[in-house]
Amino acid sequence: MRTTSSLGQDADRPGTANLPLFFRRWLSDPLQMGSIVPSSRTLCRRIARLVAAGGEGPVVEIGAGTGVISRALIEAGIAPERLVLVEIVPEMADHLRASLPGTTVVCADAFALPQHLVARLPGPVGTVICGIPLVMLPLERQRQFVAQVERIAPGLGFLLYTYCITSPLPYRKLGLEAVREAWTPRNFPPASVWRYRPLGPPAG
Ligand SMILES: C[S@@+](CC[C@H](N)C(=O)[O-])C[C@H]1O[C@@H](n2cnc3c(N)ncnc32)[C@H](O)[C@@H]1O
């Protein structure tokens, strides 16, 4: 029997939100999860639209959780083989592997990306999506994250979904420029998608 959750997703189809797993993880480490429920269908589709409109190449999703954004990316026409899903929680990584065949799942810490990813990337990275709760981390840790992304995708920057209306990152201090690309009230809580790019060297 197929059931439908309050988020409008099939609860027993592989690759869907897996609310019990998500909630259990939130209970055990709320700061690491950053959210009590997975991203909504609307938010996932907004992100997928931005990614699909971008270039070719691997899409690295950091903090893939139970895979709701990954699935939306596939539904938007991005081949599973382009998806490299990074998730720190082994149980969630196992769920991603079981439910999203064809993707590359890397159970690793976002702060050790190069050592885990470089050999597994099928080409120059096209897009990086960040889902880890960066906003809760101190500036020095945010700097380290930006440096990690720069090493796997020089000059590219990343998309970050967040519940802040204003930029969740002090982007100038991090040497980044910032553009808010999307906002939706149809998420709990309402969410924005920001694009951060490294600032080029000063002109002249
Ligand atoms: C807000 S949830 C997002 C999950 C999913 N992408 C979604 O939109 O529903 C954040 C995810 O990032 C993972 N995470 C947190 N810190 C991480 C880290 N340092 N490295 C890799 N993943 C991390 C958590 O385990 C969790 O699955």
Side-chain angles (χ1 to χ4, degrees):
M1 191 184 74
R2 178 164 281 184
T3 53
T4 301
S5 76
S6 58
L7 293 173
Q9 296 162 329
D10 291 341
D12 55 357
R13 191 180 62 184
T16 49
N18 199 337
L19 295 175
L21 172 57
F22 203 100
F23 186 61
R24 239 184 307 121
R25 286 306 311 167
W26 180 80
L27 282 178
S28 101
D29 194 340
L31 288 182
Q32 189 181 63
M33 287 306 288
S35 169
I36 191 169
V37 286
S39 298
S40 71
R41 291 285 285 173
T42 304
L43 176 59
C44 293
R45 285 185 182 140
R46 294 281 167 89
I47 295 167
R49 213 180 297 154
L50 291 170
V51 175
E56 297 295 308
V59 176
V60 178
E61 185 191 347
I62 304 168
T66 50
V68 289
I69 294 174
S70 333
R71 177 164 289 279
L73 294 170
I74 294 167
E75 286 170 359
I78 294 165
E81 291 69 26
R82 282 179 59 197
L83 299 189
V84 179
L85 312 178
V86 180
E87 173 52 54
I88 199 168
V89 175
E91 197 183 350
M92 288 181 144
D94 288 345
H95 170 74
L96 291 166
R97 280 190 198 99
S99 56
L100 295 167
T103 63
T104 299
V105 177
V106 181
C107 187
D109 186 346
F111 292 86
L113 285 181
Q115 86 194 56
H116 289 287
L117 279 200
V118 168
R120 308 194 60 179
L121 290 171
V125 174
T127 308
V128 177
I129 307 167
C130 174
I132 73 169
L134 267 190
V135 66
M136 297 186 200
L137 301 179
L139 182 64
E140 198 38 49
R141 203 73 176 136
Q142 294 176 350
R143 277 206 179 101
Q144 288 169 11
F145 178 83
V146 171
Q148 296 286 310
V149 172
E150 190 57 17
R151 284 184 60 195
I152 60 156
L156 188 69
F158 55 96
L159 293 173
L160 175 72
Y161 48 99
T162 165
Y163 315 125
C164 306
I165 295 272
T166 56
S167 171
L169 300 181
Y171 54 93
R172 288 192 192 90
K173 287 184 183 166
L174 293 168
L176 301 170
E177 58 183 17
V179 179
R180 193 171 74 151
E181 299 256 9
W183 177 79
T184 177
R186 299 186 67 180
N187 189 69
F188 180 78
S192 299
V193 186
W194 286 79
R195 189 186 295 278
Y196 294 98
R197 282 203 186 91
L199 284 170

